[in-house]
């Protein structure tokens, strides 16, 4: 959220082929499809970074996208990875994967909130996989 715009962790420097992110948005139903909500960065020992942009409606969507009042807004969301009953609708989590052209060794993973994101927008991170 705006109060915690960065999350980062060290990774062991083993070869990375891809990164998988399981997440959802709150207060993001009115974002246009393709709006940047965050960036994922991998940094190697020399300080070189590679990154991907997490986009609303493509990589992640509103957790309540199937709730009737939110669905009427026309919020686009990718296919749900996990759904659960939240009152009288199905809430959702989404899963996206970025692949590197070839395995590379990295020592840090950082997720940054997109500059200019609405102040009340929240990106919830449930699981992060760094795959070899």
């Amino acid at each position: 959220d705006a109060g915690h715009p960065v999350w980062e962790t060290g990774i062991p420097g083993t070869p990375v082929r891809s990164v998988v992110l399981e997440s959802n948005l709150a207060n993001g139903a009115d974002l246009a499809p393709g709006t940047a909500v965050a960036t994922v960065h991998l940094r190697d020992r020399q300080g070189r970074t590679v990154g991907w942009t997490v986009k609303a409606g493509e990589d992640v969507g509103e957790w309540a996208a199937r709730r009737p009042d939110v669905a009427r807004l026309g919020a686009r969301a990718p296919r749900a990875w996990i759904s659960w009953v939240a009152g009288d609708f199905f809430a959702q989590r989404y899963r996206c994967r970025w692949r590197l052209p070839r395995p590379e060794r990295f020592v840090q993973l950082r997720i940054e909130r997109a500059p200019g994101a609405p102040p009340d927008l929240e990106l919830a991170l449930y699981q992060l996989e760094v795959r070899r």
Side-chain angles (χ1 to χ4, degrees):
D1 62 16
H4 305 89
V6 175
W7 180 86
E8 62 186 13
T9 188
I11 53 178
T14 57
V16 175
R17 283 187 184 272
S18 65
V19 175
V20 179
L21 179 68
E22 183 180 328
S23 62
N24 63 19
L25 298 174
N27 305 315
D30 57 349
L31 293 176
T35 299
V37 296
T39 304
V40 177
H41 300 276
L42 292 168
R43 184 178 56 80
D44 67 15
R45 292 186 195 282
Q46 292 74 37
R48 187 180 68 87
T49 62
V50 297
W52 299 275
T53 301
V54 181
K55 297 177 182 175
E58 297 174 18
D59 303 311
V60 65
E62 176 70 24
W63 75 277
R66 293 176 63 183
R67 193 173 69 200
D69 62 323
V70 175
R72 278 193 293 277
L73 296 174
R76 192 170 107 194
R79 184 173 173 206
W81 172 251
I82 294 175
S83 296
W84 68 96
V85 176
D88 60 350
F89 68 96
F90 283 102
Q92 302 179 133
R93 290 186 196 170
Y94 308 92
R95 189 172 170 100
C96 57
R97 181 177 181 181
W98 296 279
R99 291 176 178 85
L100 292 156
R102 65 184 183 289
E104 296 184 52
R105 294 180 184 274
F106 295 97
V107 295
Q108 184 186 50
L109 185 140
R110 179 181 175 101
I111 301 174
E112 294 182 54
R113 178 182 168 82
D120 62 342
L121 179 68
E122 297 176 16
L123 172 66
L125 304 174
Y126 295 97
Q127 184 171 330
L128 183 66
E129 297 175 28
V130 177
R131 295 184 176 180
R132 293 184 187 182

